[in-house]
Amino acid sequence: MQTAANLMPIPGHVDPVPVPRAMPVREDGKIDLVGLTREQIKAALEAGGLEPKQAKLRAKQLWHWIYHRGATDFTTMTDIAKVQHPWLAERFVVARPEVVTAQVSTDGTRKWLLRSPDGHDFEMVFIPDADRGTLCVSSQVGCTLNCRFCFTGTMRLVRNLTPGEIVGQVMLARDALGEWPSQPEGRMLTNIVMMGMGEPLYNFDAVRDALKIVMDGDGLGLSRRRITLSTSGVVPMIARAGEEIGVNLAVSLHAVTKEVRDEIVPLNRKYGIDELLAACAAYPGANNARRITFEYVMLKDKNDSAEDAHELVRLLRHYKLPAKVNLIPFNPWPGADYECSTPERIRAFSNIVFEAGISAPVRTPRGRDIMAACGQLKSAAEKKSRAELDRLADEKQAALG
Ligand code: SAH
Ligand code: SF4
């Protein structure tokens, strides 16, 4: 039966094709070097009048200062001739996203609300643990995919972040943690997850270019094994993500039947569970040493039965997936339609998957008190009043009939 709900169009471009991007120009007319490839830096220097050979050398030096040393001021770049400092400063900047607010949770999790030069807000979160520190990076302002349990999906304003804004989050975290120059050992920031706001595979080029910079050996130098990209299931882009980025893959599965996944992850109406799992099975580089993570948000009486757990095991076996399952207790937000499963249900679900030989840890929510946990990110400017949320809930109810 066709209902208004299953006719709902999925917004956003579904099969993004690479398009040439203009270099972002700031209001002051200067070019921000953060986020540009070495080639782009060289081209920008040549456009300013440097000879190709000099531009190549300067680009290499600038790269090292920007990404290895964390320098933002040209006058500190001692191997670049002093006379060239004002020339650089007239044309270029090495910027950071503007910090609107920075909060610290009682559990040590930190959240930053950031603002782009054109006034868009996005968030990043740092999660310290005993043996690692994970930066949760945003790929978009908001998200077009409207998963029913995710606060970010309720943001109206959506824009792709640029490579500079994505790398800029990592740079800013390094500033805040005092981790310059880049060290191979003993860092606090050891891991990156593309699990902040947005669907990274709907902003493929920028995410790829940004992560290439993050992985560059003469710079931030994070290994691809310490980076994870999470997608809600943009099937046509999964193979390219493996080939062109090559980081660990996480997939937001969340349900094992078409009916439930269609409801909670609307993208499922476009790319179903079987298609998605087949794409995962073909993910380049996935093997028993590098498993694919399947995220599963625990929603009370929605996707948390023993039957669901058995079906999950069956699906993962059927597709011969080198898999681990992350069980995420639902993090509540104002106006959400769901509740978190009981601890007993979550434990029982985890045991069933675990007994089938698949690791299924239950994630401890981090930073809930500052709304920094999974799915709670939504910039302050976008937060709606209680009355407005009620009105929207009524509208949604009416639309669903
Ligand atoms: N858009 C990407 C990455 C960002 S979301 C994706 O969906 O995979 C990061 C993870 O948090 C996803 O698995 C997402 O489904 C989950 N999540 C979203 N809202 C949540 C909530 N309220 N409670 C717990 N997890 C949530
Ligand atoms: Fe977007 Fe991921 Fe939230 Fe879904 S869960 S709305 S894909 S950010």
Side-chain angles (χ1 to χ4, degrees):
M1 193 186 74
Q2 296 275 301
T3 64
N6 65 25
L7 283 174
M8 189 179 85
I10 309 297
H13 44 180
V14 165
D15 298 307
V17 285
V19 286
R21 290 174 310 279
M23 265 185 216
V25 177
R26 297 154 44 94
E27 239 174 35
D28 59 11
K30 297 181 185 181
I31 293 172
D32 185 358
L33 296 177
V34 176
L36 302 189
T37 62
R38 280 193 183 77
E39 277 307 306
Q40 286 171 325
I41 296 179
K42 177 172 173 277
L45 294 171
E46 283 184 40
L50 288 196
E51 295 296 322
K53 229 176 127 192
Q54 233 219 341
K56 190 171 176 200
L57 172 68
R58 288 281 176 262
K60 190 168 184 289
Q61 291 167 317
L62 284 164
W63 186 276
H64 186 79
W65 282 106
I66 295 170
Y67 294 114
H68 184 75
R69 306 290 290 264
T72 53
D73 179 352
F74 297 112
T75 62
T76 64
M77 302 182 181
T78 46
D79 58 356
I80 297 177
K82 259 196 184 140
V83 290
Q84 218 161 54
H85 294 166
W87 183 88
L88 286 165
E90 269 165 34
R91 290 164 180 79
F92 306 108
V93 289
V94 181
R96 299 288 190 260
E98 179 195 339
V99 177
V100 184
T101 55
Q103 289 171 276
V104 185
S105 153
T106 50
D107 69 15
T109 300
R110 303 200 205 178
K111 180 173 91 169
W112 288 262
L113 175 65
L114 307 174
R115 185 162 295 161
S116 66
D118 59 345
H120 289 284
D121 290 352
F122 52 103
E123 291 178 322
M124 74 169 189
V125 175
F126 180 70
I127 308 145
D129 275 305
D131 58 339
R132 60 166 71 186
T134 306
L135 187 70
C136 182
V137 171
S138 291
S139 57
Q140 298 181 308
V141 172
C143 185
T144 53
L145 289 175
N146 305 116
C147 299
R148 283 271 294 271
F149 51 84
C150 175
F151 204 21
T152 307
T154 65
M155 280 176 72
R156 280 168 296 188
L157 210 60
V158 180
R159 132 146 139 45
N160 279 339
L161 293 177
T162 64
E165 287 160 349
I166 297 169
V167 181
Q169 295 171 62
V170 183
M171 308 291 277
L172 199 72
R174 278 281 185 84
D175 293 349
L177 298 169
E179 300 216 300
W180 301 111
S182 292
Q183 304 279 354
E185 302 288 331
R187 297 173 181 172
M188 280 171 72
L189 200 181
T190 58
N191 291 58
I192 289 184
V193 292
M194 296 302 301
M195 293 188 187
M197 291 178 163
E199 168 49 56
L201 295 188
Y202 270 4
N203 187 14
F204 185 85
D205 288 8
V207 167
R208 176 198 55 208
D209 294 354
L211 290 181
K212 286 245 149 91
I213 293 174
V214 171
M215 293 187 276
D216 191 286
D218 180 28
L220 296 166
L222 261 109
S223 145
R224 64 193 177 91
R225 287 167 202 282
R226 291 190 169 271
I227 302 176
T228 301
L229 184 150
S230 176
T231 178
S232 56
V234 185
V235 169
M237 300 307 286
I238 288 180
R240 277 190 67 194
E243 282 151 19
E244 296 177 37
I245 312 177
V247 296
N248 303 321
L249 181 68
V251 171
S252 295
L253 190 62
H254 303 317
V256 291
T257 64
K258 174 166 168 53
E259 192 199 352
V260 177
R261 197 162 192 271
D262 276 358
E263 174 191 323
I264 66 179
V265 183
L267 185 66
N268 195 63
R269 298 172 204 166
K270 202 151 217 150
Y271 308 117
I273 294 174
D274 286 290
E275 234 181 304
L276 173 59
L277 296 181
C280 291
Y283 186 71
N287 54 45
N288 280 330
R290 278 186 90 199
R291 293 168 188 273
I292 296 176
T293 304
F294 290 91
E295 291 151 290
Y296 200 97
V297 61
M298 300 301 298
L299 304 173
K300 188 175 179 182
D301 299 331
K302 182 49 73 179
N303 63 357
D304 62 352
S305 69
E307 214 184 336
D308 288 318
H310 287 295
E311 178 61 6
L312 177 59
V313 169
R314 190 194 68 78
L315 282 170
L316 296 178
R317 281 190 178 149
H318 179 77
Y319 286 94
K320 299 190 175 59
L321 284 158
K324 54 186 176 194
V325 174
N326 261 348
L327 299 176
I328 317 174
F330 171 65
N331 291 308
W333 40 272
D337 293 335
Y338 303 104
E339 280 176 65
C340 185
S341 307
T342 62
E344 295 73 33
R345 272 284 174 90
I346 299 178
R347 211 169 314 125
F349 196 105
S350 170
N351 286 343
I352 292 170
V353 180
F354 186 74
E355 275 157 23
I358 301 164
S359 138
V362 180
R363 289 285 150 209
T364 315
R366 299 290 303 266
R368 267 187 180 173
D369 55 337
I370 55 166
M371 291 289 283
C374 298
Q376 291 187 316
L377 299 184
K378 175 164 177 173
S379 62
E382 274 273 347
K383 288 197 178 106
K384 298 186 183 93
S385 67
R386 182 67 245 181
E388 198 180 351
L389 282 166
D390 287 345
R391 186 181 56 73
L392 287 171
D394 287 347
E395 273 177 21
K396 195 152 42 169
Q397 203 54 47
L400 290 172

